[in-house]
């Protein structure tokens, strides 16, 4: 019941034309979720949010190049907690607390749970995402965060759009043009993989998936 209520609270953020109404969620065959070990080992550091679907709420401006600084706060054999500070122009986003990402894995089990807690006091929003999906490219220089929730908008549900998507694509800042070119290729491979399925899940008149091809950080990629 708590999980359902949390999902309902988060899905209530997706209204009007923001975020992406879809027929069903992305499949893991396409998304390829990272293991707990991968998340724990590679999420630390700075990540430029280079691509994203429309924001579910305006925690920052749609055109902003946002850099997230992920710092480990606690870690043991099964669990880890990271704080992620959103920066624009090198400064923390005003009115937004650091997000808290938790990684939990049961001993002797392949089950990996990643959750995200978000607080935006300027918008009076506090939400917990209990099932946050993460994937990386082969070099762990590109990261994708994804959540899919039940759609609460009746008019869209009547069209068969039963869910809503949110996707963020991040890239580690690169020091040389050669590295940028190589990582950009990895990023495009991921975008193509996700877009091929996303465009089949949307309403025929929509093309939200095309926003994944629009870079928000021109100095990075």
């Amino acid at each position: 019941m708590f999980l359902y209520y949390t999902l309902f609270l988060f899905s209530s953020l997706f209204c009007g034309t923001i975020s992406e109404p879809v027929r069903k969620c992305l499949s893991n065959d396409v998304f390829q979720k990272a293991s707990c070990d991968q998340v724990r080992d590679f999420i630390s550091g700075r990540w430029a949010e280079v691509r994203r679907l429309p924001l579910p709420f305006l925690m920052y401006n749609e055109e902003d190049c946002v850099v997230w600084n992920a710092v480990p706060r606690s870690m043991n054999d099964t669990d880890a907690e990271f704080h992620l500070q959103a920066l624009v122009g090198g400064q923390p986003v005003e009115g937004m607390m650091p997000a808290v990402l938790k990684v939990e894995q049961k001993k002797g089990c392949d089950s990996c749970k990643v959750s995200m807690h978000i607080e935006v006091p300027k918008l009076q929003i506090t939400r917990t995402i209990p099932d946050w999906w993460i994937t990386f490219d082969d070099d762990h220089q590109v990261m994708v965060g994804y959540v899919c929730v039940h759609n609460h908008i009746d008019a869209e549900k009547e069209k068969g759009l039963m869910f809503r998507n949110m996707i963020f694509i991040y890239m580690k800042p690169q020091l040389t043009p050669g590295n940028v070119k190589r990582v950009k290729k990895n990023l495009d491979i991921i975008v193509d993989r996700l877009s091929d399925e996303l465009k089949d899940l949307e309403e025929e008149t929509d093309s939200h998936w095309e926003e994944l091809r629009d870079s928000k950080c021109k100095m990075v990629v």
Side-chain angles (χ1 to χ4, degrees), residues 171-212:
M171 175 179 163
K172 282 276 182 77
Q174 303 298 310
L175 298 178
T176 68
N179 284 351
V180 170
K181 184 177 180 179
R182 175 173 52 82
V183 177
K184 169 67 162 55
K185 181 178 180 180
N186 290 352
L187 186 150
D188 286 341
I189 289 172
I190 288 179
V191 168
D192 287 345
R193 187 176 82 221
L194 299 179
S195 297
D196 283 344
E197 185 171 36
L198 280 172
K199 61 187 177 184
D200 291 333
L201 304 181
E202 294 180 333
E203 188 175 10
E204 286 77 2
T205 56
D206 289 338
S207 56
H208 292 291
W209 62 273
E210 291 184 350
E211 298 200 28
L212 294 182

Side-chain angles (χ1 to χ4, degrees), residues 8 30 58 69 91 108 127 146 197 206 211:
F8 173 77
V30 169
L58 289 179
N69 188 31
Q91 299 299 316
R127 297 292 183 266
Y146 170 67
E197 185 171 36
D206 289 338
E211 298 200 28

Side-chain angles (χ1 to χ4, degrees), residues 117-187:
H117 181 76
I118 300 172
E119 291 187 40
V120 190
K122 66 182 177 182
L123 301 178
Q124 298 182 332
I125 289 173
T126 300
R127 297 292 183 266
T128 297
I129 308 167
D131 189 19
W132 183 251
W133 287 19
I134 290 176
T135 192
F136 296 96
D137 70 324
D138 291 341
D139 297 322
H140 303 100
Q141 299 298 298
V142 177
M143 177 175 68
V144 182
Y146 170 67
V147 66
C148 180
V149 298
H150 292 287
N151 194 352
H152 72 291
I153 300 176
D154 290 337
E156 293 177 347
K157 290 162 62 176
E158 290 173 1
K159 299 177 182 179
L161 304 170
M162 305 304 292
F163 302 92
R164 299 190 78 91
N165 273 331
M166 183 169 66
I167 294 177
F168 298 92
I169 302 180
Y170 313 88
M171 175 179 163
K172 282 276 182 77
Q174 303 298 310
L175 298 178
T176 68
N179 284 351
V180 170
K181 184 177 180 179
R182 175 173 52 82
V183 177
K184 169 67 162 55
K185 181 178 180 180
N186 290 352
L187 186 150

